[in-house]
Amino acid sequence: MIAVAATYSVHSSATRGYAASDAEWAKYLEDALDNVKFRKIKDLYERHTTGEEIGFGPGAERVKDAFDQIDATVKARNGDARTADTLLRTTRIHIRFGMLNNCTADHNNPVGAACLENAIIPEGHVGPLDERCRPDRCANT
């Protein structure tokens, strides 16, 4: 059940709101979300290292650059998959996985996010507004 809620929550901020009323549940769900997000990032990294195209646009280029730096560091350290996992967990890679598009805006400083232009931002909301995603004109996609 937690995995289902976590996977759904990656795409919907509503589920996070349900969990917020119980601090223990919220922490448990946040950990599950972090694990789901890490698996998605790890999958993108593995696809990128095999030469598969993982996205287009300025945001995707930033993610590819981060992955290239991780790959170079792993090779320089004569590392293995565990080294890559550690670097993936500690590198600041901002990706908000969405239904329409994945957003690479820094959630604490979403400068240039087209979804925030002329928007009424809900109280307590942090980061981009997924439902207003504009991949045709945003540098974060």
Side-chain angles (χ1 to χ4, degrees):
M1 176 64 178
I2 292 299
V4 171
T7 301
Y8 178 74
S9 292
V10 167
H11 300 291
S12 170
S13 60
T15 305
R16 287 184 217 128
Y18 294 132
S21 61
D22 181 345
E24 187 176 325
W25 170 253
K27 174 68 174 130
Y28 193 60
L29 182 59
E30 197 62 38
D31 289 346
L33 284 170
D34 289 343
N35 289 331
V36 169
K37 183 176 176 182
F38 177 73
R39 284 195 307 268
K40 287 180 169 255
I41 289 173
K42 185 176 176 179
D43 177 57
L44 284 175
Y45 173 75
E46 290 171 354
R47 289 173 39 206
H48 177 71
T49 58
T50 62
E52 187 177 334
E53 185 58 63
I54 61 168
F56 302 96
E61 292 304 318
R62 286 193 303 273
V63 171
K64 291 175 197 177
D65 289 344
F67 287 168
D68 288 341
Q69 290 175 4
I70 289 170
D71 196 39
T73 303
V74 169
K75 289 176 182 171
R77 293 182 183 176
N78 293 322
D80 57 7
R82 177 176 252 161
T83 305
D85 284 359
T86 300
L87 291 169
L88 282 169
R89 285 191 188 277
T90 57
T91 301
R92 291 179 47 98
I93 299 174
H94 299 284
I95 301 178
R96 182 176 289 209
F97 294 99
M99 292 178 150
L100 172 62
N101 207 33
N102 296 333
C103 181
T104 60
D106 179 343
H107 299 179
N108 296 317
N109 186 22
V111 174
C115 62
L116 298 176
E117 292 175 4
N118 302 315
I120 298 172
I121 301 171
E123 186 176 334
H125 179 80
V126 176
L129 296 168
D130 298 331
E131 67 278 0
R132 292 178 48 98
C133 182
R134 293 292 312 262
D136 60 324
R137 48 180 216 133
C138 185
N140 294 311
T141 57

